[in-house]
Amino acid sequence: MKVVIVGAVAGGMSAATRLRRLGPEHEIVVFERGSEVSYANCGLPYHVGGVIPDRRDLLLQTPQSLRARFDLDVRIRSEVVAIDRQARTVRVRDLDTGTEYHETWDRLVLSPGAAPIVPDLPGIERALTLRSVADADQLTTLLAEQRPTTAVVVGGGFIGLETAENLHRRGLQVTVVELGSQVLAPIDPELAAPVQAELRRHGVALVLGTGLAKVLPDSVELGDGQVLPADLVVLAIGVRPDTRLAAHAGLDLGPRGGIAVDESMRTNDPRIFAVGDAVEKTDRLDGATVPVPLANTANRQGRLVADVIAGRPARLTGRIGTAVVRVFDLTVAVTGWNEKRLRAADRAHQAVHTHPLSHAGYYPGAVPMSLKLLFDPQNGAILGAQGVGGEGVDKRIDVLAVALRAGLSAEDLADLELAYAPQYGSAKDPVNMLGYLAENIRTGMTRTVQWHEIADRVAAGAHLLDVRTAAEHAAGSIPGSLNIPVDELAGRLADLPDGELIVYCQQGVRGHTATSLLIGTGHRAANLDGGYRTWSDATAETQTASAR
């Protein structure tokens, strides 16, 4: 069988090497329009920043090494410009000579990837992107030769923030411009706030709620009229699936604009498959199509399609979108749906916030983190999770991603037997604690209120009760709250106002104790989920604006 693969890197090369292992007799030809066939795309910002100084460390394989080890015919600088489905040929253009020729195939795998979104704006040709090794080369050359001092990164997503951090590392004065109201759209605002504070703490400026309008010779103009100095402009506003080849060949596209495939990665032509960022994925939680431009998914699809071509049963299950990024000294990780998406879908959900330490507090070096779990209040199904903090965030989100994928309930998290030693965790791991809290809520042992519900509850007649110490209350509190420390509460019940009480402490633990006491004495009470820490993080932008 002759298999032609269009596009290399993650999906295409995974398919090619797996297929060779399964079928030494197959003829496998890979066409790649770029100059590199296998490279660490996610390392590009860190090469620009000098963290990975040697460019060669990003290059994983070459056409020569792939020929020697796997007997693959890999042709770089070769662009497939057309597919003839009836004749089973592709038309290939040699980008160095301009000549074209046809190549036959028995099975065809499309892995064209995705292209950076570049808006049609005045002066946009001066802006750069960071998607390929060639992009990184262009950017590092510009930094070395022109020595810019100011940079504007347009887009506050994962790549945008990694690029901003690494340009800052190179000594540039960096501003991130984000059209949305927060950076990192996959996480909710109360977890995005610490990330924004971290960026500002390191000197990276943020402009939120407006977009790019014009690129000028040494500056940019934004949609709200602001003009920012910008010797260098980098676009990181997302990618769109590269589907031109597939569309011209009459292959079906999905509702999100990617190539439509079934669980075996087949297109509507059973002899043609597609993998990687150009392909529509299925969301595990609702079965809808969803863009998931992640390397692990592309690699999984490449391996799977090789199995299918070789006659082995295989299918791709729904994706949950697990991702992680480092922003200076913070780790940010996410899996599943966020609360914004759940609200937009009008899907019932319950949120739990915690602020644990990375390992046992009595062992030196413990650092704080913030975790958020979202689950279905009716059946306890895990819907999503987010984490922000120091070390250990990635480990907890990975556990929660496995739990979501395995169909565990939120209460099941309490029963997970996770490795414990004081250097690595706590006897009650933060993941276990999320399970305990979910169990308390689902069994009706406790009632909670979310940070964004406070204003409406107070307007309806509820009273705020701060059960922290007087010193903690004086250092910062929710406006209008009464302070009675939890250790004094039993003797001061007569001081409480009538009506519902919204109880809070710093992180929610003392608030839970106080709420249980109040309910036991006949009061209507609910604990502020995540305590003052969550409320303070969530309202940080508003408080900063008020202070100005």
Side-chain angles (χ1 to χ4, degrees), residues 4 7 29 36 98 108 123 171 208 292 315 371:
V4 167
V29 182
E36 310 297 342
L108 181 64
L208 304 174
V292 185
R315 64 185 184 89
L371 296 176

Side-chain angles (χ1 to χ4, degrees), residues 89-439:
T89 62
V90 292
R91 181 157 52 91
V92 185
R93 179 179 298 142
D94 186 316
L95 296 179
D96 292 324
T97 66
T99 59
E100 296 186 356
Y101 61 95
H102 290 84
E103 192 78 28
T104 62
W105 51 268
D106 297 310
R107 296 291 182 270
L108 181 64
V109 179
L110 303 180
S111 180
I117 295 173
V118 179
D120 184 14
L121 297 173
I124 200 68
E125 61 276 1
R126 190 167 76 82
L128 303 180
T129 58
L130 187 54
R131 176 75 177 173
S132 66
V133 174
D135 291 340
D137 289 343
Q138 184 179 8
L139 187 49
T140 53
T141 299
L142 187 150
L143 289 168
E145 294 180 352
Q146 299 185 18
R147 299 188 179 279
T149 60
T150 58
V152 167
V153 177
V154 184
F158 284 38
I159 301 300
L161 295 194
E162 288 177 335
T163 303
E165 177 179 342
N166 281 284
L167 292 176
H168 176 272
R169 183 177 284 112
R170 291 287 296 261
L172 279 73
Q173 179 184 338
V174 182
T175 301
V176 174
V177 175
E178 168 55 47
L179 183 61
S181 60
Q182 64 169 74
V183 299
L184 298 178
I187 64 176
D188 288 314
E190 68 272 30
L191 274 80
V195 182
Q196 292 166 183
E198 179 77 355
L199 289 162
R200 292 179 174 125
R201 185 173 73 86
H202 283 85
V204 174
L206 290 179
V207 180
L208 304 174
T210 189
L212 182 67
K214 187 184 300 183
V215 180
L216 304 171
D218 58 1
S219 61
V220 297
E221 183 178 325
L222 305 184
D224 62 1
Q226 290 187 70
V227 175
L228 305 175
D231 300 328
L232 173 65
V233 181
V234 180
L235 299 177
I237 54 179
V239 296
R240 59 168 55 95
D242 187 348
T243 59
R244 293 169 297 174
L245 188 63
H248 289 157
L251 300 178
D252 291 344
L253 303 183
R256 302 300 293 266
I259 303 171
V261 293
D262 64 13
E263 292 178 330
S264 297
M265 312 314 298
R266 278 191 175 89
T267 66
N268 55 298
D269 186 325
R271 300 162 302 182
I272 301 178
F273 301 80
V275 300
D277 292 351
V279 170
E280 301 257 301
K281 288 85 175 176
T282 300
D283 188 280
R284 186 170 183 82
L285 293 180
D286 69 352
T289 57
V290 60
V292 185
L294 296 173
N296 54 8
T297 294
N299 278 300
R300 174 66 183 126
Q301 290 178 330
R303 177 186 173 93
L304 183 148
V305 80
D307 284 2
V308 173
I309 291 173
R312 299 163 65 94
R315 64 185 184 89
L316 187 73
T317 57
R319 303 288 89 187
I320 59 175
T322 306
V324 64
V325 65
R326 190 183 72 183
V327 181
F328 290 103
D329 297 327
L330 288 183
T331 296
V332 185
V334 61
T335 190
W337 287 26
N338 60 28
E339 192 167 8
K340 291 174 291 187
R341 186 174 175 188
L342 289 165
R343 287 182 195 163
D346 197 25
R347 183 160 182 171
H349 63 277
Q350 176 70 49
V352 169
H353 296 79
T354 62
H355 304 281
L357 294 175
S358 57
H359 59 249
Y362 61 81
Y363 190 89
V367 293
M369 69 178 74
S370 296
L371 296 176
K372 179 176 184 177
L373 177 71
L374 294 156
F375 61 93
D376 188 310
Q378 298 302 314
N379 59 22
I382 298 171
L383 304 176
Q386 303 159 41
V388 175
E391 65 177 24
V393 169
D394 56 334
K395 177 170 76 170
R396 272 66 187 212
I397 291 298
D398 280 346
V399 171
L400 292 167
V402 172
L404 195 166
R405 173 67 178 78
L408 301 185
S409 71
E411 298 101 307
D412 288 335
L413 299 176
D415 282 332
L416 295 182
E417 297 180 70
L418 303 174
Y420 161 62
Q423 305 95 320
Y424 303 106
S426 301
K428 295 178 183 177
D429 189 85
V431 172
N432 297 136
M433 291 303 300
L434 291 172
Y436 292 136
L437 292 171
E439 181 182 45

Side-chain angles (χ1 to χ4, degrees), residues 11-25:
M13 291 318 306
S14 292
T17 53
R18 173 69 170 175
L19 188 59
R20 172 57 74 228
R21 294 185 182 100
L22 295 174
E25 73 282 2

